[in-house]
Amino acid sequence: MRGSHFARTRRRSSGAAALLWPLLGACLWAAVVGFKPVIVVHGLFDSSEDFKALSVFINESHPGTNVTVIDLFDRGGSLQPMWKQVEGFKAAIYPIMQNAADGVNLICYSQGGLVCRGILSTLSDHNVHSFISLSAPQAGQYGDTDYFKIFPHFVKTNLYHLCYTGIGQHISICNYWNDPHHRDLYLNNSEYLALLNSERPNPNSTVKRFLPEMHESKESSWSTEWKKNFLRIQKLVLIGGPDDGVITPWQSSQFGFYDDNETVVEMQHQDMYLKDVFGLKTLAARGDLILCSFPGIEHVKWHSNETVFHACIEKWLL
């Protein structure tokens, strides 16, 4: 009986050891490799609670990774002006960067992808390695979706009446609303996206209120500086797909957009790429511009789909 008891105890101990050794090995590997901290910025009407699955995926593939989902501008707060969000998220992210000697990785979802572009453009000493833009309207938005029920009397063809006004520009969606049929109004009134894309010659007083370090210059040195800042990243990963259902056109997630006939012009044929106004062409020449197009994914599922994570995100978090 005693020998049988000892045998069972040894088997249990061996079984426990079999389970613990892989975990211990993974922890030792993480300590040696030193996975960079991952910072997640949410999108419109989201909160940090929506990204639990993504955090699990990251720590299963890269054990020990410090994952921070920034808990700011949640839900209705995500309608705050984009420059205000840039400053708020920047203040929360910067201390994490300062404590990461080897740099950090950014995963920025939907509207959060544009927030992160603002941070990367205006922060001269950031240390972001991979900027992963997850189904974000990087070239703008022009389409009716359920998200726009907050504008009950507007459809895409007349939303410009609101968005390209002083009042409209206090709403985040309007900061990147890009109506291809009213290009002049967009260029003259967009206080966020048109500046990020260097489509406006000078920053205006609204932007300066949030970014007091900006200054007027005959040579538009602010846009040159923003390009320099943005190009500090090591990788730009642009993820999107044809079944998204929210980002319109879906190619906006990869800097494609409509012409005035609502025909999609791919990124490589856009002026912002051809003229390399903020660094896309430079990144491509460096081999640091990665496109990951994935069918069958609805907009709200990008960050919780494990297949997308392994195919498009995992390899860029080293």
Side-chain angles (χ1 to χ4, degrees), residues 17-93:
L19 292 173
L20 287 172
W21 277 114
L23 179 60
L24 179 59
C27 291
L28 289 172
W29 172 253
V32 172
V33 173
F35 296 121
K36 295 176 179 62
V38 174
I39 302 169
V40 180
V41 175
H42 68 73
L44 187 67
F45 300 136
D46 296 323
S47 79
S48 58
E49 292 296 310
D50 299 313
F51 293 83
K52 291 180 179 178
L54 179 60
S55 296
V56 169
F57 298 156
I58 294 169
N59 271 290
E60 285 180 345
S61 64
H62 297 151
T65 300
N66 181 8
V67 181
T68 304
V69 185
I70 305 299
D71 189 21
L72 285 175
F73 300 101
D74 293 355
R75 307 304 181 196
S78 63
L79 290 169
Q80 291 287 316
M82 293 292 282
W83 284 121
K84 183 175 181 180
Q85 294 194 48
V86 166
E87 289 304 284
F89 278 107
K90 185 190 297 184
I93 289 171

Side-chain angles (χ1 to χ4, degrees), residues 108-125:
C108 307
Y109 168 66
S110 194
Q111 178 178 280
L114 283 172
V115 171
C116 288
R117 264 188 75 198
I119 294 170
L120 294 171
S121 297
T122 58
L123 189 55
S124 61
D125 60 344

Side-chain angles (χ1 to χ4, degrees), residues 20-218:
L20 287 172
W21 277 114
L23 179 60
L24 179 59
C27 291
L28 289 172
W29 172 253
V32 172
V33 173
F35 296 121
K36 295 176 179 62
V38 174
I39 302 169
V40 180
V41 175
H42 68 73
L44 187 67
F45 300 136
D46 296 323
S47 79
S48 58
E49 292 296 310
D50 299 313
F51 293 83
K52 291 180 179 178
L54 179 60
S55 296
V56 169
F57 298 156
I58 294 169
N59 271 290
E60 285 180 345
S61 64
H62 297 151
T65 300
N66 181 8
V67 181
T68 304
V69 185
I70 305 299
D71 189 21
L72 285 175
F73 300 101
D74 293 355
R75 307 304 181 196
S78 63
L79 290 169
Q80 291 287 316
M82 293 292 282
W83 284 121
K84 183 175 181 180
Q85 294 194 48
V86 166
E87 289 304 284
F89 278 107
K90 185 190 297 184
I93 289 171
Y94 193 59
I96 302 173
M97 293 180 178
Q98 289 181 306
N99 289 321
D102 295 326
V104 302
N105 293 313
L106 279 183
I107 301 176
C108 307
Y109 168 66
S110 194
Q111 178 178 280
L114 283 172
V115 171
C116 288
R117 264 188 75 198
I119 294 170
L120 294 171
S121 297
T122 58
L123 189 55
S124 61
D125 60 344
H126 75 75
N127 59 355
V128 172
H129 187 271
S130 293
F131 168 31
I132 300 170
S133 174
L134 185 58
S135 189
Q138 293 292 358
Q141 172 75 14
Y142 183 68
D144 295 322
T145 75
D146 289 343
Y147 281 67
F148 293 162
K149 287 180 179 178
I150 60 170
F151 304 126
H153 303 297
F154 292 92
V155 294
K156 73 175 186 179
T157 54
N158 61 20
L159 191 57
Y160 74 93
H161 288 295
L162 169 65
C163 278
Y164 299 147
T165 66
I167 294 174
Q169 288 297 303
H170 280 84
I171 305 170
S172 64
I173 296 171
C174 289
N175 288 158
Y176 51 90
W177 186 254
N178 190 354
D179 189 326
H181 306 292
H182 296 90
R183 184 72 178 166
D184 289 345
L185 288 174
Y186 162 75
L187 292 175
N188 290 326
N189 294 281
S190 173
E191 295 179 348
Y192 191 75
L193 185 62
L195 284 172
L196 282 183
N197 291 344
S198 295
E199 295 170 304
R200 289 186 67 174
N202 288 294
N204 57 41
S205 58
T206 301
V207 181
K208 289 180 184 178
R209 187 167 71 249
F210 297 115
L211 299 172
E213 71 274 12
M214 290 179 62
H215 58 279
E216 300 285 357
S217 170
K218 292 181 180 179

